[in-house]
């Protein structure tokens, strides 16, 4: 059973949330109406030593990189809703073998990114653990209710665009050093471009499939169009490596050329990589109609049960 | 260095939070103005296997008890601000040795308490860890800005009251099965009784000292007046065992008899246990003037560094 499947079955058995919960669990963030036409976005994510970052060897993450990544993963969730990140709270479960220096450096990395994205750290809980580093962060964000972008808004005929480059995230340390696409997500939301949006944390194919499942459409993807992070990155790696933390966004097909013409962020490519189509299930197929992802055949899940 | 000391030094080095952060880090919750005279309360807390609950032996916590405790600890923080809990998000770092059954039972325990307190689970993140169970939860709450109760409002002359009973929390499994004092905290806040409030998670003396430190007063405590959980509970145990999750509340001395007369919760004792006094530091002394807690001589800190 995957994390998605477990959480889906868990939330399915809960009573329906109150009306103030405008976006219920299952999207990149939950959203709660707070009055004045604004929504409070909330998301939680964690990083686990040996799972989300290497703790030994040449690829070992520095404590600064761990802190940075923990916040960045959460900022990416706010970006995918078209929101502006505001505050965060951190729970540190730190191996008792770590020292105060490690913790200071962890927070230094986290707070440097927080300053860059104008996010306030407003709460924390610290504990030592018998063995593992398990660090979680809850982020809040703000978005106008008319701007919020869900996963569920894509329609057959919409074009699929992606920000940035894909694949080889581990080898290039992109998974530690990426810039969450808050600026881009907000621009796409506030200017009415984004019909549906998701951030790619677990591999392009798997997250594209999640977008399809939420929107009840299928996707025709052009794998060759997916921009790869390095010359050595294979097509398969670009589709399934994960930890790209780029945005996938559904755009009205008629307006796609206009978007390509007016995209204002010269340092971040925006690439048309597919089209949503009618389908019996959330299938992702190539241009030749071959299934790229029907069941679970690619991507990452940090939860194995 | 304790958790308090580390977090204090961390937050002291941050730029001042924006005006919307009405209660900054360092209290039981942070509070953010959301308009309409209301505050959003936010707190995070975690439970770690082998630290906050036993994982083996006769005292081992069931997964239901772990889930219940994780939420209950956080509800207690909302109670201490006089707020009403609303939503929660959970990050599960679960030892890879656990199975799906464990996780289902964990959520069953958490959700049963959530239903009782009318709290909505709106987000979650699941990961498996190499060895440890590290579970964190962020809770949101709601309170009118004029009702919110800080730790810093006690004055010399105020009486100190405590809800409930103290000590022997581990032996009685109270630390797993306690009822967070949300109803009582809200009543004390909404009816203008509470000048300052804190929940007792780390031992009565230590949390009373925190109240003193925030309010810049000292405390004369009557240890004999502190109601003990069981006949076998010693005075020292009642003062330092921790995990009582009761409220300490500062009350205008003139109004103390009126409060005792009108306390509406027959099932939860409210006991006057001391008086705030002027002092050079956040000292807690007995009726004989002997220091009960000056430095760190009692109570619990799940963070040893």
């Amino acid at each position: 059973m995957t994390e998605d499947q477990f959480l889906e079955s868990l939330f399915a058995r809960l009573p329906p949330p109150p009306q103030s919960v405008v976006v219920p669990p299952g999207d990149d963030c939950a959203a709660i109406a707070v009055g004045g036409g604004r929504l409070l976005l909330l998301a939680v994510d964690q990083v686990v030593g040996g799972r989300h970052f290497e703790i030994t060897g040449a690829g070992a993450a520095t404590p600064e990189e761990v802190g940075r990544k923990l916040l960045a993963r959460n900022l990416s969730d706010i970006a995918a809703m078209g929101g502006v990140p505001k505050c965060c709270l951190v729970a540190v479960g730190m191996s008792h073998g770590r020292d105060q220096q490690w913790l200071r450096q962890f927070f230094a990395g986290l707070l440097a990114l927080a300053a860059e994205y104008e996010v306030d750290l407003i709460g924390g809980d610290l504990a030592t653990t018998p063995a593992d580093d398990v660090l979680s962060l809850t982020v809040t964000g703000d978005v106008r209710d008319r701007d919020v972008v869900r996963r569920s808004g894509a329609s057959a005929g919409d074009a699929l665009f992606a920000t940035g480059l894909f694949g080889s995230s581990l080898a290039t340390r992109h998974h530690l050093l990426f810039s969450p696409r808050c600026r881009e997500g907000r621009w796409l939301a506030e200017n009415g471009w984004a019909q549906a949006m998701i951030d790619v944390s677990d591999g392009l194919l798997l997250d594209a499939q999640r977008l399809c499942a939420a929107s009840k459409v299928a996707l025709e993807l052009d794998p060759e169009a997916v921009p790869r992070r390095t010359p050595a990155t294979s097509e398969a790696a670009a589709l399934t490596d994960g930890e790209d933390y780029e945005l996938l966004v559904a755009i009205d097909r008629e307006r796609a050329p206009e978007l390509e013409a007016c995209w204002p962020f010269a340092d971040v490519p925006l690439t048309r990589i597919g089209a949503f189509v009618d389908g019996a299930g959330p299938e992702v197929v190539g241009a030749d109609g071959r299934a790229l992802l029907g069941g679970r055949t690619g991507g990452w899940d940090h939860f194995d049960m």
Side-chain angles (χ1 to χ4, degrees), chain A:
Chain A
M1 176 171 258
T2 67
E3 178 183 6
D4 280 1
Q5 288 164 345
F6 184 89
L7 289 176
E8 256 172 50
S9 79
L10 181 73
F11 288 123
R13 284 178 292 120
L14 293 182
Q19 221 177 346
S20 58
V21 180
V22 174
V23 179
D27 216 305
D28 291 279
C29 297
I32 297 168
V34 289
R38 307 212 74 91
L39 302 181
L40 170 73
L41 301 173
L42 284 161
V44 63
D45 225 334
Q46 59 190 330
V47 295
V48 176
R51 294 276 192 274
H52 301 91
F53 62 92
E54 297 300 317
I55 49 181
T56 54
T62 67
E64 287 89 345
E65 287 170 342
V66 174
R68 187 188 193 286
K69 177 171 184 172
L70 176 61
L71 176 58
R73 278 166 66 84
N74 279 279
L75 296 182
S76 189
D77 284 324
I78 298 287
M81 307 297 289
V84 178
K86 289 290 181 185
C87 301
C88 67
L89 302 95
V90 183
V92 172
M94 182 177 78
S95 163
H96 74 104
R98 303 285 188 198
D99 60 9
Q100 201 186 120
Q101 176 73 357
W102 192 94
L103 193 62
R104 290 213 177 278
Q105 291 172 341
F106 163 83
F107 274 109
L110 191 156
L111 289 168
L113 189 68
E116 194 182 320
Y117 281 77
E118 297 179 19
V119 171
D120 293 299
L121 175 66
I122 60 163
D125 186 59
L126 310 180
T128 46
T129 69
D132 296 335
D133 299 314
V134 181
L135 308 126
S136 73
L137 187 142
T138 297
V139 68
T140 75
D142 173 65
V143 66
R144 283 195 305 185
D145 52 12
R146 52 184 260 207
D147 291 339
V148 71
V149 185
R150 294 169 176 79
R151 292 182 181 179
S152 55
S155 310
D158 285 350
L160 177 68
F161 281 78
T163 62
L165 310 174
F166 289 83
S168 306
S169 180
L170 196 65
T172 59
R173 298 180 78 79
H174 175 79
H175 77 110
L176 297 168
L177 303 172
F178 64 96
S179 295
R181 301 306 187 195
C182 293
R183 181 187 63 171
E184 294 77 10
R186 182 182 182 181
W187 184 87
L188 287 163
E190 288 185 349
N191 294 287
W193 293 106
Q195 311 278 45
M197 201 148 59
I198 191 171
D199 79 313
V200 179
S201 52
D202 298 328
L204 193 156
L205 284 187
L206 183 55
D207 285 308
Q209 193 193 30
R210 288 174 174 147
L211 206 49
C212 289
S215 294
K216 301 191 196 329
V217 290
L219 177 68
E220 241 179 59
L221 187 78
D222 180 0
E224 290 178 23
V226 174
R228 307 183 197 170
R229 192 166 321 282
T230 70
T233 305
S234 70
E235 187 181 294
L239 298 188
T240 62
D241 269 1
E243 305 234 60
D244 302 295
Y245 299 103
E246 296 295 348
L247 298 175
L248 295 183
V249 53
I251 303 286
D252 180 340
R253 183 174 42 183
E254 303 296 321
R255 300 181 64 205
E258 188 191 340
L259 172 62
E260 288 173 311
C262 76
W263 177 248
F265 308 112
D267 54 334
V268 177
L270 181 77
T271 312
R272 189 170 181 165
I273 61 170
F276 292 95
V277 294
D278 286 318
E283 201 178 41
V284 182
V285 300
D288 55 0
R290 184 172 48 92
L292 294 169
L293 189 66
R296 273 183 55 74
T297 56
W300 286 89
D301 191 315
H302 290 283
F303 184 70
D304 309 306
M305 200 166 59

